[in-house]
Amino acid sequence: MKYDVETIKKEMYSGVLCDVMDGMGYRNQSIARTVMPLKDHTVIFGPAFTSIGTQVYSMPADPLTAQCKVVDQLGEGEVYVLVIRGEKNCAVFGELFATAVLGRKGAGVLTDGYARDVKQLHQMDFPLFYGGRDPRTSKGRCEINECQIPVTLEGVTIHPGDYIFGDIDGVAVIPAAIVDEVLEKAMETIKKEDTVRDGLKNGASLQEVYSKVGAI
């Protein structure tokens, strides 16, 4: 990858990534309706480590053991993606889960499930995108026992290794096969937008700068 992670997190934004993928024919790569960032400045970026949490209706013999085995497979720099099947009736993420992700040098978490220990997560400034809050434990309610398979979130299919970029506007899912091209085109677009911005500040019309630069 041409750009380092910190440069991408500082300069990139989800909107321009979606614009670029739109232009490449990938028009369904955004997630925004069911997830929110922990804080307004929260940004996540990295390849996806995918997993599924499934609603259960009785207490397993060894609750959370399967979840521990899944989380322990997370690689450095990866975004842990957790999609929930069934009713969302508990927290599937909390402070100790977050500590484990950081301990494995993970890049953050994206889940449509609920979180708890939010006060501690705020203090940690943990890179989290999540679906809501619930104080109830997942024991006997949800088991995380499948990983590194394609998952679907808001109609967007995420394969292991696809790149996740999330900011205050939402989450962009970049297929692994085109990530370098998307990032390169996005950086070029950002430079064009800088030119547009300068023209508008100097009194040029929106139509004039758009027709000249091709970005808005």
Side-chain angles (χ1 to χ4, degrees):
M1 187 177 297
K2 180 178 179 180
Y3 303 100
D4 65 82
V5 171
E6 290 308 313
T7 297
I8 293 168
K9 290 173 67 176
K10 180 180 179 182
E11 298 187 15
M12 198 62 63
Y13 60 96
S14 59
V16 72
L17 292 169
C18 289
D19 288 352
V20 167
M21 287 189 284
D22 273 357
M24 296 171 63
Y26 295 82
R27 295 182 57 81
N28 185 39
Q29 298 301 126
S30 67
I31 300 166
R33 297 186 302 275
T34 58
V35 298
M36 69 188 87
L38 181 66
K39 297 182 179 181
D40 285 352
H41 67 257
T42 299
V43 176
I44 56 172
F45 177 73
F49 177 97
T50 61
S51 66
I52 291 177
T54 303
Q55 183 180 7
V56 296
Y57 300 90
S58 60
M59 187 67 71
D62 298 303
L64 305 186
T65 299
Q67 171 179 313
C68 294
K69 292 179 180 179
V70 169
V71 176
D72 285 344
Q73 297 177 56
L74 181 68
E76 182 175 349
E78 291 182 325
V79 174
Y80 190 104
V81 178
L82 172 58
V83 175
I84 304 303
R85 292 190 297 205
E87 182 182 359
K88 297 180 179 67
N89 60 0
C90 61
V92 294
F93 186 79
E95 176 205 358
L96 295 181
F97 194 151
T99 302
V101 170
L102 293 180
R104 301 194 63 77
K105 298 182 180 179
V109 169
L110 166 64
T111 180
D112 61 345
Y114 298 156
R116 67 179 188 179
D117 308 326
V118 174
K119 178 180 178 180
Q120 290 88 339
L121 294 173
H122 269 268
Q123 292 171 345
M124 297 165 68
D125 201 16
F126 187 84
L128 170 66
F129 280 70
Y130 66 123
R133 302 170 183 176
D134 195 314
R136 292 173 292 177
T137 178
S138 61
K139 290 181 180 179
R141 296 187 176 95
C142 184
E143 281 287 299
I144 301 170
N145 51 20
E146 297 179 83
C147 67
Q148 292 299 69
I149 58 176
V151 297
T152 301
L153 185 50
E154 282 192 25
V156 181
T157 298
I158 306 172
H159 295 87
D162 286 348
Y163 275 74
I164 306 297
F165 181 93
D167 61 14
I168 191 172
D169 290 329
V171 175
V173 179
I174 312 170
I178 61 170
V179 64
D180 288 329
E181 183 179 2
V182 169
L183 292 174
E184 183 68 29
K185 289 183 176 180
M187 287 296 189
E188 292 173 359
T189 301
I190 289 172
K191 292 178 182 178
K192 290 181 180 179
E193 289 179 342
D194 290 340
T195 301
V196 170
R197 190 176 296 107
D198 290 341
L200 293 174
K201 287 179 178 178
N202 289 324
S205 71
L206 191 60
Q207 183 179 351
E208 177 187 351
V209 293
Y210 178 61
S211 62
K212 184 180 297 184
V213 181
I216 192 173

